Amino acid sequence: MISTPGASAGLASTPGGEPVSDRSREARGSRGDTGLGDLYRLYSRWLTARLRRRYGDEADDLTQEAWVRMTPYMREGAIAHPKALLLRIVENLAIDRSRRGGPRPLEQTDRAEIQQAVDPASQIDEILLKQIIFNMPPKLRTVFVLSRFAHLEYQEIAERLNIPVTTVQWRMRKALDYCAAQLRL
């Protein structure tokens, strides 16, 4: 395969000048040409699903704009890597939108990405904490989880477990002592 001037945009051709794509047999069909409609049928659902996970409600607008911006590349020849080109177009669109729109509040997908990007040391600490909690005696674990992770007050825990508040306090103190002892090991 010989690269042409349009190769930087994801375009390629054979030595005879015929356009080549990574899905050329599927996209060309019986006519022997690769049109935008063919690529749309092949990649439309994939692109929309991928963008919906990352951009939420903006996915449909970004998808439509990406296909519109892909049209000029079709005039130059078949697209060698349509998925890569579509993702590059969408990434550029998202950058443009963020520059125009200014900062936006974090969405649920953004929070998930941030949590995945946490450094390995904190991930090890998280695993260690989970092991400590799972190995804790059940009565202490129940009070500890309700207090620290469900954010319930001692009174609410006592009502939920049908035990006195002083018992909740005692179990919480024992649970914290247990955690401290395990971390010293």
Side-chain angles (χ1 to χ4, degrees), residues 1-15 17-18 72-73 75-78 80 85:
M1 203 157 58
I2 296 176
S3 204
T4 62
S8 64
L11 305 176
S13 63
T14 64
E18 293 180 30
Y73 296 106
R75 292 185 195 121
E76 295 180 31
L85 180 58

Side-chain angles (χ1 to χ4, degrees), residues 87-147:
L87 290 176
R88 171 52 60 192
I89 290 170
V90 168
E91 187 175 326
N92 290 342
L93 285 169
I95 290 169
D96 290 346
R97 284 183 179 208
S98 69
R99 286 179 184 156
R100 278 184 273 148
R104 61 180 173 84
L106 285 179
E107 294 180 13
Q108 193 64 23
T109 55
D110 296 329
R111 289 186 181 105
E113 288 176 14
I114 290 170
Q115 286 178 345
Q116 289 174 355
V118 174
D119 66 312
S122 66
Q123 290 176 348
I124 291 171
D125 291 343
E126 185 178 331
I127 291 169
L128 178 62
L129 179 61
K130 284 180 181 179
Q131 288 176 340
I132 291 171
I133 293 170
F134 286 132
N135 291 328
M136 193 179 288
K139 290 181 179 181
L140 302 181
R141 180 176 55 234
T142 302
V143 170
F144 183 80
V145 168
L146 290 173
S147 174

Side-chain angles (χ1 to χ4, degrees), residues 1-4 6-7 10-29 31-36 38-39 73-82:
M1 203 157 58
I2 296 176
S3 204
T4 62
L11 305 176
S13 63
T14 64
E18 293 180 30
V20 177
S21 74
D22 63 348
R23 292 274 186 113
S24 59
R25 285 190 184 92
E26 291 176 51
R28 274 185 266 189
R31 295 189 322 260
D33 66 335
T34 305
L36 187 61
D38 295 327
L39 291 175
Y73 296 106
M74 295 304 297
R75 292 185 195 121
E76 295 180 31
I79 298 170
H81 304 285

Side-chain angles (χ1 to χ4, degrees), residues 60-70 89 93 97:
D60 293 330
D61 292 339
L62 287 170
T63 301
Q64 181 178 2
E65 184 68 22
W67 286 108
V68 169
R69 291 204 181 182
M70 192 165 178
I89 290 170
L93 285 169
R97 284 183 179 208

